[in-house]
Coordinates of all heavy atoms in Angstrom, one line a residue:
M1 N 7.5 -17.9 40.5 CA 6.8 -16.6 40.3 C 7.7 -15.7 39.5 O 8.9 -15.6 39.9 CB 6.5 -16.1 41.7 CG 5.7 -14.9 41.6 SD 4.7 -14.8 43.1 CE 3.6 -13.5 42.7
K2 N 7.3 -15.0 38.6 CA 8.1 -14.1 37.8 C 8.0 -12.7 38.3 O 7.1 -12.2 38.9 CB 7.5 -14.1 36.4 CG 7.6 -15.4 35.6 CD 7.2 -15.1 34.1 CE 7.1 -16.4 33.3 NZ 7.7 -17.4 33.2
S3 N 9.2 -12.0 38.1 CA 9.3 -10.6 38.6 C 8.6 -9.7 37.6 O 8.3 -10.2 36.5 CB 10.8 -10.3 38.7 OG 11.3 -10.1 37.4
G4 N 8.4 -8.5 38.0 CA 7.8 -7.6 37.0 C 8.5 -7.4 35.8 O 8.0 -7.2 34.8
L5 N 9.9 -7.4 35.8 CA 10.7 -7.2 34.7 C 10.6 -8.4 33.8 O 10.5 -8.2 32.5 CB 12.1 -7.0 35.2 CG 13.1 -6.1 34.4 CD1 12.5 -4.7 34.2 CD2 14.4 -6.0 35.1
Q6 N 10.6 -9.5 34.3 CA 10.4 -10.8 33.5 C 9.1 -10.7 32.8 O 9.0 -11.1 31.6 CB 10.4 -12.0 34.4 CG 11.9 -12.4 34.9 CD 11.8 -13.5 35.9 OE1 11.0 -13.6 36.7 NE2 12.8 -14.4 35.8
K7 N 8.0 -10.3 33.5 CA 6.7 -10.2 32.8 C 6.7 -9.1 31.7 O 6.1 -9.4 30.7 CB 5.6 -9.8 33.9 CG 5.3 -10.9 34.8 CD 4.4 -10.4 35.8 CE 4.1 -11.6 36.9 NZ 3.1 -11.2 37.9
Q8 N 7.4 -8.0 31.9 CA 7.5 -7.0 30.8 C 8.3 -7.6 29.7 O 7.8 -7.3 28.5 CB 8.3 -5.8 31.4 CG 7.5 -4.9 32.2 CD 8.3 -3.7 32.7 OE1 9.2 -3.8 33.5 NE2 8.0 -2.6 32.0
V9 N 9.3 -8.3 29.8 CA 10.1 -8.9 28.7 C 9.3 -9.9 28.0 O 9.1 -9.8 26.8 CB 11.4 -9.5 29.2 CG1 12.1 -10.3 28.1 CG2 12.3 -8.4 29.7
L10 N 8.6 -10.7 28.7 CA 7.7 -11.8 28.1 C 6.5 -11.1 27.3 O 6.3 -11.6 26.2 CB 7.2 -12.8 29.1 CG 6.4 -14.0 28.6 CD1 7.3 -14.8 27.6 CD2 6.1 -14.8 29.8
N11 N 6.0 -10.1 27.9 CA 4.9 -9.4 27.2 C 5.4 -8.7 25.9 O 4.6 -8.8 24.9 CB 4.2 -8.4 28.2 CG 3.1 -7.7 27.6 OD1 2.2 -8.3 27.0 ND2 2.9 -6.4 27.9
L12 N 6.6 -8.1 25.9 CA 7.0 -7.4 24.8 C 7.4 -8.5 23.8 O 7.0 -8.3 22.6 CB 8.3 -6.7 25.2 CG 9.1 -6.0 24.0 CD1 8.2 -5.0 23.3 CD2 10.4 -5.4 24.5
Y13 N 7.9 -9.6 24.1 CA 8.2 -10.7 23.2 C 6.9 -11.1 22.5 O 6.8 -11.3 21.2 CB 8.9 -11.9 23.9 CG 9.2 -13.0 23.0 CD1 10.3 -12.9 22.1 CD2 8.5 -14.2 23.2 CE1 10.7 -14.0 21.4 CE2 8.9 -15.3 22.4 CZ 10.0 -15.2 21.5 OH 10.3 -16.3 20.8
R14 N 5.9 -11.3 23.3 CA 4.6 -11.8 22.7 C 4.0 -10.8 21.8 O 3.4 -11.2 20.7 CB 3.6 -12.2 23.9 CG 3.9 -13.4 24.6 CD 3.0 -13.7 25.7 NE 3.3 -15.0 26.5 CZ 3.0 -15.2 27.7 NH1 2.4 -14.2 28.4 NH2 3.3 -16.3 28.2
Q15 N 4.0 -9.5 22.2 CA 3.5 -8.5 21.4 C 4.2 -8.4 20.0 O 3.5 -8.2 19.0 CB 3.5 -7.1 22.1 CG 2.5 -6.9 23.2 CD 2.7 -5.6 23.8 OE1 3.8 -5.1 24.1 NE2 1.6 -4.8 24.0
L16 N 5.5 -8.5 20.1 CA 6.3 -8.5 18.9 C 6.0 -9.6 17.9 O 5.8 -9.5 16.7 CB 7.8 -8.5 19.2 CG 8.3 -7.1 19.7 CD1 9.7 -7.4 20.3 CD2 8.4 -6.1 18.5
L17 N 5.9 -10.8 18.5 CA 5.4 -12.0 17.7 C 4.1 -11.8 17.1 O 3.8 -12.2 16.0 CB 5.6 -13.3 18.4 CG 7.1 -13.7 18.8 CD1 7.0 -15.0 19.6 CD2 7.8 -13.9 17.5
R18 N 3.1 -11.4 17.8 CA 1.8 -11.1 17.4 C 1.7 -10.1 16.3 O 1.0 -10.3 15.3 CB 0.8 -10.7 18.5 CG 0.3 -11.8 19.3 CD -0.9 -11.3 20.3 NE -0.7 -11.9 21.5 CZ -0.4 -11.4 22.7 NH1 -0.1 -10.1 22.8 NH2 -0.2 -12.1 23.7
T19 N 2.4 -9.0 16.4 CA 2.5 -8.0 15.4 C 3.1 -8.6 14.1 O 2.6 -8.3 13.0 CB 3.3 -6.8 15.9 OG1 2.7 -6.2 17.0 CG2 3.4 -5.7 14.8
A20 N 4.1 -9.4 14.3 CA 4.8 -10.1 13.1 C 3.7 -11.0 12.4 O 3.7 -11.0 11.1 CB 6.0 -10.9 13.6
S21 N 2.9 -11.7 13.2 CA 1.9 -12.6 12.7 C 0.9 -11.9 11.9 O 0.1 -12.5 11.1 CB 1.2 -13.4 13.8 OG 2.2 -14.2 14.3
N22 N 0.7 -10.6 12.2 CA -0.4 -9.8 11.5 C 0.0 -9.3 10.1 O -0.7 -8.6 9.5 CB -0.8 -8.6 12.4 CG -1.7 -9.1 13.6 OD1 -2.2 -10.2 13.6 ND2 -1.6 -8.4 14.7
Q23 N 1.3 -9.5 9.8 CA 1.8 -9.0 8.5 C 1.2 -9.7 7.4 O 0.9 -10.9 7.5 CB 3.3 -9.1 8.4 CG 4.0 -8.3 9.5 CD 3.6 -6.8 9.7 OE1 3.6 -6.1 8.6 NE2 3.2 -6.4 10.8
S24 N 0.8 -9.0 6.3 CA 0.0 -9.6 5.2 C 0.9 -10.5 4.2 O 0.4 -11.3 3.6 CB -0.7 -8.4 4.5 OG 0.2 -7.6 3.9
I25 N 2.2 -10.2 4.2 CA 3.1 -11.0 3.4 C 3.7 -12.1 4.2 O 4.5 -11.8 5.2 CB 4.1 -10.0 2.7 CG1 3.4 -9.0 1.8 CG2 5.0 -10.8 1.8 CD1 4.3 -7.9 1.3
P26 N 3.6 -13.3 3.8 CA 4.1 -14.4 4.6 C 5.6 -14.3 4.8 O 6.2 -14.7 5.8 CB 3.7 -15.7 3.8 CG 2.6 -15.3 3.0 CD 2.8 -13.8 2.7
A27 N 6.4 -13.9 3.7 CA 7.8 -13.8 3.8 C 8.2 -12.8 4.9 O 9.1 -13.0 5.7 CB 8.5 -13.5 2.5
V28 N 7.4 -11.6 5.0 CA 7.7 -10.6 5.9 C 7.4 -11.2 7.3 O 8.2 -11.0 8.2 CB 6.9 -9.3 5.6 CG1 7.0 -8.4 6.8 CG2 7.3 -8.7 4.3
Q29 N 6.3 -11.8 7.5 CA 5.9 -12.5 8.7 C 7.1 -13.4 9.2 O 7.5 -13.2 10.4 CB 4.7 -13.4 8.5 CG 3.4 -12.9 9.0 CD 2.3 -14.0 8.8 OE1 2.6 -15.1 8.8 NE2 1.2 -13.5 8.4
E30 N 7.5 -14.3 8.4 CA 8.5 -15.2 8.9 C 9.9 -14.6 9.2 O 10.5 -15.0 10.1 CB 8.7 -16.4 7.8 CG 7.5 -17.3 7.8 CD 7.1 -17.9 9.1 OE1 8.0 -18.4 9.9 OE2 5.9 -17.7 9.4
N31 N 10.2 -13.6 8.3 CA 11.6 -12.9 8.6 C 11.5 -12.2 9.9 O 12.5 -12.1 10.7 CB 11.9 -12.0 7.4 CG 12.3 -12.8 6.2 OD1 12.9 -13.9 6.4 ND2 12.2 -12.2 5.0
L32 N 10.4 -11.5 10.2 CA 10.2 -10.7 11.4 C 10.2 -11.6 12.6 O 10.9 -11.4 13.6 CB 8.9 -9.9 11.4 CG 8.9 -8.6 10.7 CD1 7.6 -8.0 10.7 CD2 9.9 -7.7 11.4
K33 N 9.5 -12.8 12.6 CA 9.6 -13.8 13.6 C 10.9 -14.3 13.9 O 11.4 -14.4 15.1 CB 8.5 -14.9 13.4 CG 7.1 -14.5 13.5 CD 6.3 -15.7 13.2 CE 4.8 -15.4 13.1 NZ 3.9 -16.6 12.8
K34 N 11.6 -14.6 12.9 CA 13.0 -15.1 13.0 C 13.9 -14.1 13.6 O 14.6 -14.4 14.5 CB 13.4 -15.5 11.6 CG 14.7 -16.4 11.6 CD 15.1 -16.7 10.2 CE 16.3 -17.6 10.1 NZ 16.6 -18.0 8.8
F35 N 13.8 -12.9 13.1 CA 14.6 -11.7 13.8 C 14.4 -11.6 15.2 O 15.2 -11.4 15.9 CB 14.4 -10.5 12.9 CG 15.1 -9.3 13.5 CD1 16.4 -9.1 13.3 CD2 14.4 -8.4 14.3 CE1 17.1 -8.0 13.9 CE2 15.0 -7.3 14.9 CZ 16.4 -7.2 14.7
I36 N 13.0 -11.6 15.5 CA 12.6 -11.4 16.9 C 13.3 -12.5 17.8 O 13.8 -12.2 18.9 CB 11.1 -11.3 17.1 CG1 10.6 -10.0 16.4 CG2 10.7 -11.4 18.5 CD1 9.1 -10.0 16.1
R37 N 13.1 -13.7 17.4 CA 13.6 -14.8 18.2 C 15.1 -14.8 18.4 O 15.6 -14.9 19.5 CB 13.2 -16.2 17.5 CG 11.7 -16.4 17.7 CD 11.3 -17.8 17.0 NE 9.9 -18.0 17.2 CZ 9.1 -18.1 16.1 NH1 9.7 -17.9 14.9 NH2 7.8 -18.2 16.2
I38 N 15.8 -14.5 17.3 CA 17.2 -14.4 17.3 C 17.7 -13.3 18.3 O 18.6 -13.5 19.1 CB 17.8 -14.3 15.9 CG1 17.6 -15.6 15.1 CG2 19.3 -13.9 15.9 CD1 17.9 -15.5 13.6
E39 N 17.1 -12.2 18.1 CA 17.5 -11.0 18.8 C 17.2 -11.2 20.4 O 18.1 -10.9 21.2 CB 16.7 -9.7 18.3 CG 17.2 -8.5 18.8 CD 18.5 -8.0 18.2 OE1 18.9 -8.7 17.3 OE2 19.1 -7.1 18.7
F40 N 16.1 -11.7 20.7 CA 15.8 -12.0 22.2 C 16.8 -13.0 22.7 O 17.3 -12.9 23.9 CB 14.4 -12.5 22.4 CG 13.4 -11.4 22.7 CD1 13.0 -10.6 21.6 CD2 13.0 -11.1 23.9 CE1 12.1 -9.5 21.8 CE2 12.2 -10.1 24.2 CZ 11.8 -9.3 23.2
K41 N 17.2 -14.1 21.9 CA 18.1 -15.0 22.4 C 19.5 -14.4 22.6 O 20.2 -14.7 23.6 CB 18.2 -16.3 21.5 CG 17.0 -17.1 21.6 CD 17.1 -18.3 20.5 CE 15.9 -19.2 20.6 NZ 15.9 -20.3 19.7
R42 N 19.9 -13.6 21.6 CA 21.2 -13.0 21.7 C 21.3 -12.0 22.9 O 22.3 -12.1 23.7 CB 21.4 -12.2 20.4 CG 22.8 -11.6 20.3 CD 23.0 -10.9 19.0 NE 22.2 -9.8 18.7 CZ 22.5 -8.6 19.1 NH1 23.5 -8.3 19.8 NH2 21.6 -7.6 18.8
K43 N 20.3 -11.3 23.1 CA 20.3 -10.3 24.2 C 20.2 -11.1 25.6 O 20.8 -10.6 26.5 CB 19.1 -9.4 24.2 CG 19.2 -8.3 23.0 CD 20.3 -7.4 23.2 CE 20.4 -6.4 22.0 NZ 21.4 -5.5 22.1
A44 N 19.5 -12.2 25.6 CA 19.5 -13.0 26.9 C 20.9 -13.5 27.2 O 21.2 -13.6 28.4 CB 18.5 -14.1 26.7
K45 N 21.7 -13.7 26.3 CA 23.0 -14.3 26.5 C 24.0 -13.1 26.9 O 24.9 -13.2 27.6 CB 23.6 -15.1 25.3 CG 22.9 -16.3 25.1 CD 23.5 -16.9 23.8 CE 22.7 -18.3 23.6 NZ 23.1 -18.9 22.3
E46 N 23.8 -11.9 26.2 CA 24.6 -10.7 26.4 C 24.5 -10.0 27.7 O 25.4 -9.5 28.3 CB 24.5 -9.8 25.3 CG 25.0 -10.0 23.9 CD 24.7 -9.0 22.9 OE1 24.2 -8.0 23.2 OE2 25.1 -9.3 21.7
I47 N 23.2 -9.9 28.1 CA 22.9 -9.1 29.3 C 22.7 -9.9 30.6 O 22.0 -10.9 30.6 CB 21.6 -8.3 29.1 CG1 21.8 -7.3 27.9 CG2 21.2 -7.4 30.2 CD1 20.5 -6.6 27.4
N48 N 23.5 -9.5 31.6 CA 23.4 -10.2 32.9 C 22.0 -9.9 33.5 O 21.4 -8.8 33.4 CB 24.5 -9.6 33.8 CG 24.5 -10.2 35.1 OD1 23.6 -11.0 35.5 ND2 25.5 -10.0 35.9
S49 N 21.5 -11.0 34.0 CA 20.1 -10.9 34.5 C 19.8 -10.0 35.7 O 18.8 -9.6 36.0 CB 19.5 -12.3 34.8 OG 20.3 -12.9 35.8
K50 N 21.0 -9.6 36.3 CA 21.0 -8.7 37.4 C 21.2 -7.2 37.0 O 21.1 -6.4 37.9 CB 22.0 -9.1 38.5 CG 21.7 -10.5 39.1 CD 22.7 -10.8 40.1 CE 22.7 -12.2 40.5 NZ 21.6 -12.8 41.1
D51 N 21.4 -7.0 35.8 CA 21.7 -5.6 35.3 C 20.4 -5.0 34.8 O 20.0 -4.9 33.7 CB 22.6 -5.8 34.0 CG 23.1 -4.3 33.6 OD1 22.7 -3.4 34.2 OD2 24.0 -4.3 32.7
I52 N 19.7 -4.6 35.9 CA 18.3 -4.0 35.7 C 18.3 -2.8 34.7 O 17.3 -2.8 33.9 CB 17.7 -3.6 37.1 CG1 17.8 -4.7 38.1 CG2 16.3 -3.1 36.9 CD1 17.0 -6.0 37.7
S53 N 19.1 -1.9 34.8 CA 19.1 -0.8 34.0 C 19.2 -1.1 32.5 O 18.6 -0.5 31.6 CB 20.2 0.3 34.4 OG 21.4 -0.3 34.3
S54 N 20.1 -2.1 32.2 CA 20.3 -2.5 30.8 C 19.0 -3.2 30.3 O 18.6 -3.0 29.2 CB 21.4 -3.5 30.7 OG 22.7 -2.8 30.9
I55 N 18.4 -4.0 31.2 CA 17.2 -4.7 30.8 C 16.1 -3.7 30.5 O 15.4 -3.8 29.5 CB 16.8 -5.7 31.9 CG1 17.8 -6.8 32.0 CG2 15.4 -6.3 31.5 CD1 17.7 -7.8 33.2
E56 N 15.9 -2.7 31.4 CA 14.9 -1.7 31.2 C 15.2 -0.8 29.9 O 14.3 -0.6 29.3 CB 14.9 -0.8 32.5 CG 14.3 -1.4 33.7 CD 14.4 -0.5 34.9 OE1 15.3 0.4 35.0 OE2 13.6 -0.8 35.8
H57 N 16.5 -0.7 29.7 CA 16.8 0.0 28.5 C 16.4 -0.7 27.2 O 15.8 -0.2 26.2 CB 18.3 0.4 28.4 CG 18.8 0.9 27.1 ND1 18.5 2.2 26.7 CD2 19.4 0.3 26.1 CE1 19.0 2.4 25.4 NE2 19.6 1.3 25.0
Q58 N 16.6 -2.0 27.3 CA 16.3 -2.9 26.1 C 14.7 -3.0 26.0 O 14.3 -3.1 24.8 CB 16.9 -4.3 26.3 CG 18.5 -4.2 26.1 CD 18.9 -3.7 24.7 OE1 18.3 -4.1 23.8 NE2 20.0 -3.0 24.8
I59 N 14.0 -3.0 27.1 CA 12.6 -3.0 27.0 C 12.1 -1.8 26.3 O 11.3 -1.9 25.4 CB 11.9 -3.2 28.4 CG1 12.2 -4.6 29.0 CG2 10.5 -2.9 28.4 CD1 11.9 -4.8 30.4
R60 N 12.6 -0.6 26.7 CA 12.1 0.6 26.1 C 12.5 0.6 24.6 O 11.7 1.0 23.8 CB 12.7 1.8 26.8 CG 12.2 2.1 28.2 CD 12.6 3.4 28.7 NE 14.1 3.5 28.8 CZ 14.8 3.1 29.8 NH1 14.3 2.6 30.8 NH2 16.2 3.3 29.8
R61 N 13.7 0.1 24.3 CA 14.1 0.0 22.9 C 13.2 -0.8 22.1 O 12.8 -0.6 21.0 CB 15.5 -0.4 22.8 CG 16.2 -0.4 21.5 CD 17.6 -0.8 21.6 NE 18.2 -0.7 20.3 CZ 19.1 -1.6 19.9 NH1 19.5 -2.5 20.7 NH2 19.5 -1.6 18.6
G62 N 12.8 -2.0 22.7 CA 12.0 -3.0 22.0 C 10.5 -2.4 21.8 O 9.9 -2.6 20.9
E63 N 10.1 -1.6 22.8 CA 8.8 -1.0 22.6 C 8.7 0.0 21.5 O 7.7 0.1 20.8 CB 8.3 -0.3 23.9 CG 8.0 -1.4 25.1 CD 7.8 -0.8 26.4 OE1 8.2 0.5 26.6 OE2 7.2 -1.5 27.3
R64 N 9.8 0.8 21.3 CA 9.9 1.7 20.2 C 9.9 1.0 19.0 O 9.3 1.3 17.9 CB 11.2 2.6 20.3 CG 11.0 3.7 21.4 CD 12.2 4.7 21.3 NE 13.5 4.1 21.4 CZ 14.2 3.9 22.5 NH1 13.6 4.2 23.7 NH2 15.4 3.5 22.5
R65 N 10.7 -0.2 18.9 CA 10.7 -1.0 17.7 C 9.3 -1.6 17.4 O 8.9 -1.7 16.2 CB 11.7 -2.1 17.8 CG 13.1 -1.6 17.6 CD 14.0 -2.9 17.7 NE 15.4 -2.5 17.3 CZ 16.4 -3.3 17.1 NH1 16.2 -4.5 17.3 NH2 17.6 -2.8 16.8
L66 N 8.6 -2.0 18.4 CA 7.3 -2.5 18.2 C 6.4 -1.5 17.5 O 5.6 -1.8 16.6 CB 6.6 -2.9 19.6 CG 5.2 -3.4 19.6 CD1 5.0 -4.6 18.7 CD2 4.7 -3.7 21.0
E67 N 6.4 -0.3 18.0 CA 5.6 0.8 17.4 C 6.0 1.1 15.9 O 5.2 1.3 15.1 CB 5.7 2.1 18.3 CG 5.1 2.0 19.6 CD 3.6 1.6 19.5 OE1 2.9 2.1 18.7 OE2 3.3 0.7 20.3
F68 N 7.3 1.0 15.7 CA 7.8 1.2 14.4 C 7.2 0.1 13.5 O 6.8 0.3 12.3 CB 9.4 1.2 14.3 CG 9.9 1.2 12.9 CD1 10.0 2.5 12.3 CD2 10.2 0.2 12.2 CE1 10.5 2.6 11.0 CE2 10.7 0.2 10.9 CZ 10.9 1.5 10.3
V69 N 7.3 -1.1 13.9 CA 6.8 -2.3 13.0 C 5.4 -2.1 12.8 O 4.8 -2.3 11.7 CB 7.2 -3.6 13.8 CG1 6.4 -4.8 13.0 CG2 8.6 -3.9 13.8
K70 N 4.6 -1.8 13.9 CA 3.1 -1.6 13.7 C 2.8 -0.6 12.7 O 1.8 -0.7 11.9 CB 2.6 -1.1 15.0 CG 2.4 -2.3 16.0 CD 1.7 -1.8 17.3 CE 1.5 -2.9 18.3 NZ 0.9 -2.4 19.6
V71 N 3.6 0.5 12.6 CA 3.2 1.6 11.8 C 3.8 1.4 10.3 O 3.1 1.6 9.4 CB 3.8 3.0 12.3 CG1 3.6 4.1 11.3 CG2 3.0 3.3 13.6
H72 N 5.1 1.1 10.2 CA 5.8 1.0 8.9 C 6.0 -0.2 8.2 O 6.1 -0.2 7.0 CB 7.2 1.7 9.2 CG 7.2 3.1 9.6 ND1 7.3 3.5 10.9 CD2 7.0 4.2 8.9 CE1 7.2 4.7 11.1 NE2 7.1 5.3 9.8
V73 N 5.9 -1.4 8.8 CA 6.2 -2.6 8.3 C 4.9 -3.3 7.8 O 5.0 -4.3 7.1 CB 7.0 -3.5 9.2 CG1 7.4 -4.8 8.4 CG2 8.3 -2.8 9.5
N74 N 3.8 -2.8 8.2 CA 2.5 -3.4 7.8 C 2.3 -3.2 6.3 O 1.4 -2.3 6.0 CB 1.4 -3.0 8.7 CG 0.2 -3.9 8.5 OD1 0.2 -4.9 7.8 ND2 -0.9 -3.6 9.3
I75 N 2.9 -3.9 5.5 CA 2.8 -3.7 4.1 C 1.6 -4.4 3.4 O 1.5 -5.6 3.6 CB 4.1 -4.1 3.3 CG1 5.3 -3.4 4.0 CG2 4.0 -4.0 1.8 CD1 6.6 -4.0 3.5
K76 N 0.7 -3.7 2.8 CA -0.5 -4.4 2.2 C -0.2 -4.8 0.8 O -0.5 -5.8 0.3 CB -1.6 -3.5 2.3 CG -2.1 -3.1 3.6 CD -2.6 -4.3 4.4 CE -3.1 -3.9 5.7 NZ -3.3 -5.1 6.7
K77 N 0.5 -3.9 0.1 CA 0.9 -4.1 -1.3 C 2.4 -3.8 -1.5 O 2.9 -2.9 -0.8 CB 0.2 -3.2 -2.3 CG -1.3 -3.5 -2.3 CD -2.0 -2.6 -3.3 CE -3.5 -3.0 -3.3 NZ -4.2 -2.1 -4.2
F78 N 3.0 -4.6 -2.3 CA 4.4 -4.3 -2.6 C 4.6 -4.2 -4.1 O 4.2 -5.1 -4.8 CB 5.3 -5.4 -2.0 CG 6.8 -5.1 -2.1 CD1 7.4 -4.3 -1.3 CD2 7.5 -5.7 -3.2 CE1 8.7 -4.0 -1.3 CE2 8.9 -5.5 -3.3 CZ 9.5 -4.6 -2.3
S79 N 5.2 -3.1 -4.6 CA 5.5 -3.0 -6.0 C 6.9 -2.3 -6.2 O 7.4 -1.6 -5.3 CB 4.4 -2.2 -6.6 OG 4.3 -0.9 -6.1
F80 N 7.4 -2.5 -7.3 CA 8.7 -1.9 -7.7 C 8.4 -0.7 -8.5 O 7.5 -0.5 -9.2 CB 9.6 -2.9 -8.5 CG 10.0 -4.0 -7.7 CD1 9.4 -5.2 -7.7 CD2 11.2 -3.8 -6.9 CE1 9.9 -6.3 -7.0 CE2 11.6 -5.0 -6.2 CZ 10.9 -6.2 -6.2

């Protein structure tokens, strides 16, 4: 059985990957997915699973990044 915090982390991870999948440019899609996976693995190694305040802080930070990606990275056209 997963704790509430574990569910929040997993939900955030899934939301980020879904948002990355919705990007219209395949290269942007893949780069975002790769970044998300690497970042979650890195943080999992860095943060002690009993350090609740750090985990909550990272969840809030991730939610802000999710909103940023939803608003700013959804590029329909790219031109120089």
Side-chain angles (χ1 to χ4, degrees):
M1 188 149 191
K2 292 185 187 328
S3 73
L5 214 50
Q6 288 172 320
K7 288 178 183 178
Q8 282 182 285
V9 171
L10 187 56
N11 185 40
L12 177 61
Y13 181 73
R14 287 177 179 156
Q15 285 181 316
L16 284 162
L17 287 177
R18 275 191 219 112
T19 301
S21 295
N22 290 335
Q23 301 306 309
S24 58
I25 300 173
V28 172
Q29 253 184 36
E30 290 309 310
N31 287 336
L32 277 173
K33 286 180 186 179
K34 188 176 185 180
F35 174 77
I36 292 163
R37 289 183 185 111
I38 290 169
E39 194 69 11
F40 268 78
K41 285 179 184 177
R42 186 173 66 83
K43 293 294 181 182
K45 290 177 184 175
E46 283 180 6
I47 299 173
N48 184 341
S49 62
K50 295 182 193 300
D51 189 355
I52 305 300
S53 62
S54 290
I55 295 169
E56 289 173 339
H57 171 73
Q58 291 301 321
I59 290 171
R60 288 190 303 275
R61 188 171 178 223
E63 288 170 345
R64 286 192 303 272
R65 284 185 171 187
L66 174 62
E67 291 307 312
F68 178 83
V69 169
K70 284 181 177 179
V71 173
H72 294 96
V73 182
N74 195 2
I75 302 169
K76 298 295 181 196
K77 293 182 182 177
F78 185 80
S79 60
F80 291 98

